[in-house]
Amino acid sequence: MDFVCTLCPRRCGALRSGTQPGGICRSPGLPRIARAAPHYGEEPCIAGKNGTGAVFFTGCNLRCVFCQNRDISRGAGAGETLTAPQLRELLLRLRDQGVDSIDLVTGAHYVPAIAEALSGLSLGVPVVWNSSGYESVETLRQLEGLVQVYMPDYKYSDPETARRYSAAADYPAVAADAIREMFRQVGPYVLDESGLMKSGVLIRHLILPGREDDARNVIDFAADEFPRDSVLFSLMSQYTPTPGLEAFAELQRRVTPEENRALIHYMKVRRLDGFWQENEAATEELLPDWDLTGVQKA
């Protein structure tokens, strides 16, 4: 399964093979997974009452200095490598645990194998594509008809901020195009009678300390780009400083209640449907263990 990789916007051209990692994402061609289990830390319309079946893929094409999942996003040796048929069986096992959705977390660098696993698969619950937003339109088109809910981040509206914190100055333009493609595929959001999201786009934004203007611009993008009441928006105040931020003094604190309240108010002013967090959400307690739970091979 050797191939020269152009899956993500970086188009680094690395040679990736089935089990040997390569490229900026430091990942093999076959999906590597650190955990697959019911998870309750997502928005209510995703987690529902029974949790979402969260599949945490290892590797990432961004280098976010504040990443809370860095043990798996940057560790080439983390996780277990599965073939597409094995991934398919894993998804069926999760479904059989009674979850309300299947949540594929940061899988953009494994799209061919994920698309193969999902092809022809009827899970009976929505498949959620939970991503950084830094994805190519061409690669996203491989998922058309296979994913019902897209849940991308829109981390930054400012290229310099994106360069400084994620080594991707093109992030704002790339993520905007990716989200437009997601909306083209699935259209306006649909909730069932219990409030579970059956299809559509839910845009997330993590508030960073001192970056209120950037957050307002992200809110403006969601409000201006799409018809009213057609996308959901999640404003997250859960930012928690991580070790290794000595060169980023501005990130060595949490978001203040005043910053959070001001942005919640602005989201309401822009009349965006969705969710927001209180400051108490800034905790590491909801971070799962990367212990290969649920990742046995068939």
Side-chain angles (χ1 to χ4, degrees), residues 36 70 91 100 113 167 191 195 197 246 251 282 284:
R70 66 179 62 204
L91 299 178
D100 285 322
L191 304 180
M197 195 169 182
E246 291 78 13
L251 294 180
E284 296 182 6

Side-chain angles (χ1 to χ4, degrees), residues 9 12 15 46 52 54 56 63 89 99 121 128 132 157 163 175 177 197 216 224 230 234 238 247 249 274 278 288 298:
C12 69
L15 180 64
I46 301 297
T52 182
F56 290 92
R63 286 293 173 267
E89 291 303 313
V99 295
L121 183 62
V128 180
S132 72
S157 66
R163 182 204 63 76
D177 284 344
M197 195 169 182
R216 287 189 180 91
D224 295 338
S230 65
S234 181
Q238 66 190 41
E278 302 302 330

